[in-house]
Amino acid sequence: MNDFKTNANWTASVISDIKKQAETGGMLLTGMGNPSPYPNYWDRILLDASQVTNPSIDPLREPMELRTFLGRKSSKLEKETYPQLELSTPIMFSAMSYGSISLNTCKSLAMAATDSGIYWNTGEGGLHKDLYKYANRAIVQVASGRFGVHEEYLRAGAAIEIKVGQGAKPGIGGHLPGEKVSKEISETRMIPEGTDAISPAPHHDIYSIEDLRQLIYALKEATDYEKPVIVKIAAVHNSAAIASGMVRAGADIIALDGFRGGTGATPMIVRNHTGIPIELALASVDQRLRDEGIRNDASVVVAGGFRSSADIIKAIALGADSVYIASSALIAVGCTMCQKCYTGKCAWGITTQDPELVKRINPEIAKKRLNNLIRAWSLEIKEVLGSMGINAVESLRGNKERLRGIGLNETELKILGIKHAGE
Amino acid sequence: MILNKYRTEKDISACGLFGFINEDGKRQNGEIARKAMALMRERSNGLGGGFAAYGIYPEYDDLYAFHVMYDDEKSKERTEEFLSKNFIIGKDEKMPHRHVNAIKTHPLLWRYFLKVKEHKQDLAEIEEKDFVVKTVMQVNSVLEGAYIFSSGKNMGIFKAVGYPEDVADFFKIEDYHGYIWTAHGRFPTNTPGWWGGAHPFGLLNWSVVHNGEISSYGANKRYLEMFGYKCTLMTDTEVVAYLADLLMRKHQISIEKACSVLAPRFWKDIEGMSEKEKKEHTLLRQYYGSAMLNGPFAVLIANEKNLIGVNDRIKLRPLVAARRKSTLYIASEESAILEVCEKPDKVWHPKAGIPTIGTLKDK
């Protein structure tokens, strides 16, 4: 890499990418989320703290509540509520399929979600028979390939997620190469062994919002209206309008995935250039749902490159009910962000099906590390809530008064709905 | 005021609250509230004082009594033109007041007794009270220089920049007779001391006096906006008045439950409840999480029938209650109560988050 002469435009990676494509005639593939130096708004938002007029609260001495419910709530109190997911802390593991990651990694996530009182997500990989015992903490995904979707699967999960899009590859389907489709994966996904598992770019039964409504209600019918239905989209330019339509179409939870969200495999062109930052999408979606008076009708979950509890706190104050994490969860169990997931040769045994490599993940140890991460971040969220003089997470949700922008222009502040530091 | 040897003022102040309800409906003039507040002078700093009283306009009890402050004649004309479109103005007059040395300047203060006009077709669906709320929100957020600070029936709010006892003298509150009184002395920190910013805050028959700071204000404000309430007064207290209106009038939730929304039980306590209570409290938290008031507060909420005192969940501001026969007193300090009720039957310190409620007896 260092052999090339320094050049701001023709960088080493630009030159080597061109050479690679000249040799292969193919698209460039890559893994994980957008690594380009686009603005990261979390780093330009500061938190407030209490001084004098409202005492800060010491989480060691006073209760500090993070319990979170996800699902539809009507705006006026009723005798019953729609089905809800109950989280001990506003964090969940985002969708990662068995296939894109190893069974040992799936097990680690499932066990940690169960221990921590949060949820994990099957992605479009179906639910392996060994994982049914963790199904009451699973969000089962229905994506465009419908792999592994059957009645027992839908009924087993705590919630059902229709995946329309993913932040790392908006508008793009999925591709699990045949060599990764082992016997176990073929059984779980219900496809022949050794065949490519190709998820179409769109759902071929969803070409419009009314089609989405039909699928949402088909899934609710299939599960007796006992489970919340999540609809997940990639954060794109008109997310706010789409989100409003999704809520009106019957989604109980909407999940937005920003362009820093990870993936096992994606064309580099799409990963690096398509979509928008989750910060902006979240602020505009939350405001739009409020303007239309339908914010209570659905919970908002955001994903896309949450690196720390600080990012999570800021997301909640911007209006999120909960976040999805995946890249940081994988880092907790070994990932070093080499972005080679698509090769199937993950040295940490995470994004590989090679039995020799998969052995490198010990689910018991990985589970402990994931539990530690959730615990550590929850402690930090409590500490910050206390510093703000707040003792329940619901008082932070959408509380933009406790955020200030730093070094942001007026348009950015307006979209985020926050004041500049010093104001 | 405490002066040290350098004769500089020592800052030991905070807001002060006082209120009482005669549950038998006996009406008393404003002297009691004035006296109690004067004793707590140290809790305010002269930047705001006010009173709310119920039962003061029995001769107009079917009309909305609007108390309005105007910056100038022009804003008055504009507002009257706006109001007369949808209201019949039964009576309008300058609010009675006298000159007080401590209050140097004041806005134009006007009082109207109003009735909503027979609804035109397009208004027919809107409930009358919702329409009044909408009118108040419109005047306060759109019409420059006009602020409706009282909009209930047979009740009124009186407030100004000044110490409570000066405000009482200014508005001649000794001339008003009510069965519920609440009062407030202000020590503003986060928001400017302006007439509109003084307490009580009111909407329809609701009035609120508040000592504290609402750290969840941003969340509460954005929640209320979904229901058409506009927070325009540069202070956090107004959200309490709007939440009271939303929960208890519009959503018809009982006082106890509404107070559990404002100051919810902790999950650790909900866990230990009976199944029925557990479900009730869980539902309240699921539905109304965004209506929870967080941060230190002691608040008195009143309407035509009730006086409610409630604290934040860990009682970060003082609130004391006392009862003598059919009168319930609630105040920031016990001394304020003893000043006006020498021998109460009972004095107690309400627990964090548990409301103290006095209710007018049915006649």
Side-chain angles (χ1 to χ4, degrees):
Chain A
M1 287 288 195
N2 293 329
D3 295 345
F4 300 115
K5 201 163 174 88
T6 307
N7 187 317
N9 300 309
W10 302 97
T11 59
S13 63
V14 166
I15 293 169
S16 48
D17 285 349
I18 290 174
K19 288 180 183 296
K20 208 181 288 171
Q21 291 192 285
E23 276 163 33
T24 63
M27 293 197 294
L28 295 167
L29 287 183
T30 185
M32 300 315 280
N34 193 332
S36 308
Y38 291 104
N40 186 317
Y41 291 96
W42 302 131
D43 294 338
R44 298 184 191 185
I45 294 175
L46 298 170
L47 299 170
D48 187 28
S50 295
Q51 298 289 292
V52 183
T53 55
N54 53 347
S56 42
I57 302 169
D58 190 339
L60 282 177
R61 293 164 198 277
E62 304 283 351
M64 198 57 73
E65 301 181 320
L66 299 184
R67 189 179 302 189
T68 299
F69 292 90
L70 303 179
R72 176 174 295 256
K73 292 128 184 138
S74 36
S75 49
K76 191 177 164 187
L77 183 67
E78 281 162 26
K79 287 207 172 65
E80 293 291 336
T81 180
Y82 294 92
Q84 305 282 314
L85 294 181
E86 183 178 331
L87 285 67
S88 66
T89 188
I91 305 170
M92 300 189 288
F93 296 132
S94 195
M96 287 175 274
S97 70
Y98 170 43
S100 76
I101 58 172
S102 62
L103 189 59
N104 276 357
T105 313
C106 290
K107 261 184 207 159
S108 316
L109 290 161
M111 291 191 293
T114 306
D115 286 357
S116 296
I118 60 169
Y119 293 87
W120 64 289
N121 189 312
T122 62
E124 197 186 14
L127 191 60
H128 188 274
K129 55 185 185 309
D130 291 354
L131 299 176
Y132 268 82
K133 54 177 175 265
Y134 310 110
N136 63 346
R137 283 283 156 187
I139 294 166
V140 294
Q141 206 178 60
V142 174
S144 61
R146 298 288 194 275
F147 297 125
V149 177
H150 49 87
E151 192 187 346
E152 193 193 355
Y153 167 80
L154 294 176
R155 287 187 182 275
I160 301 168
E161 179 172 273
I162 300 171
K163 177 199 163 186
V164 174
Q166 189 177 337
K169 43 181 172 179
I172 299 285
H175 182 183
L176 187 69
E179 51 266 34
K180 276 191 169 179
V181 181
S182 62
K183 183 166 178 289
E184 300 249 314
I185 290 179
S186 93
E187 282 168 6
T188 308
R189 293 204 176 201
M190 305 191 303
I191 55 172
E193 205 176 325
T195 58
D196 287 10
I198 297 177
S199 309
H203 285 247
H204 284 298
D205 55 357
I206 305 179
Y207 287 176
S208 67
I209 195 79
E210 56 271 27
D211 289 347
L212 174 67
R213 184 183 179 83
Q214 288 201 341
L215 181 58
I216 290 172
Y217 279 91
L219 294 170
K220 288 187 178 184
E221 286 286 340
T223 51
D224 301 328
Y225 294 83
E226 278 168 2
K227 301 181 193 293
V229 171
I230 307 168
V231 179
K232 177 180 174 180
I233 56 164
V236 290
H237 302 182
N238 62 338
S239 294
I242 299 166
S244 156
M246 280 154 48
V247 175
R248 292 179 192 281
D252 302 304
I253 300 168
I254 58 177
L256 303 165
D257 194 8
F259 76 162
R260 288 187 293 268
T263 179
T266 176
M268 193 185 283
I269 172 77
V270 175
R271 183 194 71 173
N272 291 7
H273 298 278
T274 306
I276 61 172
I278 191 60
E279 305 89 307
L280 302 178
L282 165 60
S284 59
V285 164
D286 176 63
Q287 191 56 50
R288 176 65 172 263
L289 298 181
R290 286 168 188 272
D291 289 345
E292 295 188 14
I294 54 174
R295 180 65 183 82
N296 292 328
D297 291 355
S299 296
V300 175
V301 177
V302 290
F306 286 92
R307 302 160 300 174
S308 66
S309 59
D311 291 354
I312 296 171
I313 292 160
K314 291 168 190 177
I316 292 169
L318 272 188
D321 289 276
S322 154
V323 304
Y324 263 146
I325 62 165
S327 299
S328 45
L330 296 188
I331 291 171
V333 302
C335 168
T336 55
M337 278 287 148
C338 73
Q339 305 175 38
K340 298 281 187 203
C341 331
Y342 66 100
T343 63
K345 292 175 183 151
C346 177
W348 296 88
I350 300 168
T351 58
T352 177
Q353 303 305 326
D354 179 338
E356 284 304 310
L357 295 172
V358 172
K359 273 200 299 200
R360 295 182 182 180
I361 287 265
N362 177 330
E364 283 300 326
I365 296 171
K367 172 194 84 171
K368 200 169 166 217
R369 296 181 64 84
L370 289 165
N371 281 337
N372 280 345
L373 182 70
I374 299 299
R375 178 176 185 273
W377 283 6
S378 300
L379 285 175
E380 288 176 338
I381 295 171
K382 287 180 179 183
E383 196 71 26
V384 170
L385 284 181
S387 77
M388 289 182 174
I390 283 174
N391 56 14
V393 70
E394 42 274 57
S395 295
L396 179 66
R397 188 166 307 126
N399 194 344
K400 297 185 181 186
E401 300 287 325
R402 313 306 299 272
L403 299 176
R404 288 293 185 273
I406 182 95
L408 296 175
N409 67 35
E410 272 186 38
T411 307
E412 292 166 321
L413 291 168
K414 193 176 139 231
I415 295 166
L416 291 167
I418 60 176
K419 296 184 186 131
H420 199 275
E423 271 187 284
Chain B
M1 193 182 307
I2 294 169
L3 296 180
N4 59 22
K5 66 178 175 176
Y6 301 108
R7 304 196 64 73
T8 51
E9 194 176 338
K10 185 181 171 196
D11 256 0
I12 54 163
S13 309
C15 294
L17 313 176
F18 172 80
F20 72 89
I21 175 170
N22 291 327
E23 292 177 332
D24 57 5
K26 187 180 143 201
R27 299 194 300 141
Q28 287 175 291
N29 80 0
E31 201 44 46
I32 295 170
R34 181 193 186 284
K35 221 173 138 190
M37 291 312 294
L39 188 94
M40 293 192 291
R41 186 183 168 93
E42 290 298 336
R43 297 189 72 84
S44 48
N45 70 353
L47 288 181
F51 299 83
Y54 292 78
I56 57 173
Y57 298 133
E59 65 275 35
Y60 301 108
D61 62 359
D62 57 340
L63 301 180
Y64 291 98
F66 279 16
H67 294 181
V68 191
M69 44 181 91
Y70 296 117
D71 284 356
D72 48 39
E73 280 292 341
K74 230 182 175 153
S75 49
K76 177 167 174 281
E77 276 166 35
R78 259 198 314 257
T79 306
E80 287 179 353
E81 195 191 317
F82 176 79
L83 289 176
S84 58
K85 273 188 216 154
N86 294 308
F87 290 88
I88 298 164
I89 301 179
K91 182 175 178 183
D92 80 287
E93 62 190 356
K94 192 189 266 188
M95 283 188 75
H97 59 266
R98 66 161 72 89
H99 176 74
V100 175
N101 277 339
I103 295 174
K104 302 273 187 254
T105 59
H106 62 84
L108 268 177
L109 293 160
W110 221 258
R111 171 160 81 191
Y112 303 85
F113 293 95
L114 307 155
K115 199 162 104 182
V116 180
K117 276 186 184 169
E118 290 302 315
H119 284 159
K120 301 168 216 147
Q121 283 301 41
D122 58 331
L123 291 176
E125 297 152 25
I126 305 175
E127 209 197 326
E128 183 179 290
K129 282 181 178 165
D130 284 343
F131 179 71
V132 174
V133 169
K134 205 174 142 197
T135 303
V136 173
M137 294 291 151
Q138 255 172 331
V139 170
N140 291 356
S141 63
V142 179
L143 294 185
E144 212 174 300
Y147 169 45
I148 300 172
F149 61 98
S150 187
S151 53
K153 285 180 176 175
N154 197 14
M155 62 79 70
I157 289 169
F158 306 88
K159 62 184 186 180
V161 171
Y163 281 99
E165 55 272 31
D166 299 328
V167 177
D169 289 343
F170 177 82
F171 280 108
K172 305 182 174 180
I173 65 159
E174 69 275 11
D175 292 345
Y176 297 92
H177 293 77
Y179 53 84
I180 300 175
W181 279 88
T182 65
H184 187 264
R186 189 168 184 230
F187 191 109
T189 46
N190 292 343
T191 49
W194 69 294
W195 280 57
H199 301 214
F201 285 89
L203 185 68
L204 297 172
N205 280 357
W206 299 107
S207 69
V208 171
V209 291
H210 161 235
N211 168 18
E213 177 169 319
I214 298 172
S215 310
S216 56
Y217 172 73
N220 305 136
K221 170 178 175 276
R222 297 185 73 222
Y223 175 71
L224 284 163
E225 279 167 356
M226 279 201 290
F227 299 94
Y229 297 93
K230 296 191 178 80
C231 301
T232 53
L233 304 179
M234 298 185 280
T235 175
D236 51 3
T237 305
E238 65 177 324
V239 301
V240 185
Y242 304 158
L243 285 171
D245 187 55
L246 177 73
L247 297 170
M248 292 187 267
R249 180 180 68 85
K250 293 199 72 165
H251 290 183
Q252 296 285 312
I253 296 173
S254 70
I255 295 175
E256 287 81 1
K257 280 190 179 177
C259 288
S260 274
V261 168
L262 302 180
R265 299 304 146 77
F266 284 99
W267 288 116
K268 67 176 172 60
D269 300 327
I270 294 174
E271 300 296 337
M273 291 177 177
S274 70
E275 281 308 311
K276 185 171 166 274
E277 279 185 308
K278 199 169 166 177
K279 190 174 172 193
E280 271 178 18
H281 284 274
T282 302
L283 278 176
L284 288 175
R285 293 200 63 172
Q286 287 175 333
Y287 275 92
Y288 292 113
S290 300
M292 173 196 304
L293 297 176
N294 223 309
F297 68 86
V299 67
L300 298 182
I301 304 171
N303 69 2
E304 69 284 357
K305 283 193 83 108
N306 302 288
L307 173 67
I308 308 157
V310 67
N311 266 119
D312 64 83
R313 309 203 287 166
I314 48 178
K315 196 157 182 171
L316 293 170
R317 292 291 159 98
L319 202 64
V320 186
R323 185 172 272 286
R324 182 172 163 75
K325 291 180 181 160
S326 55
T327 304
L328 171 72
Y329 299 89
I330 313 178
S332 297
E333 296 184 20
E334 190 176 336
S335 58
I337 296 173
L338 296 181
E339 177 79 352
V340 295
C341 169
E342 247 179 62
K343 286 189 181 141
D345 305 332
K346 189 184 162 197
V347 179
W348 72 98
H349 294 263
K351 283 197 178 133
I354 308 291
T356 302
I357 304 166
T359 302
L360 193 65
K361 286 193 190 92
D362 289 328
K363 291 213 176 103

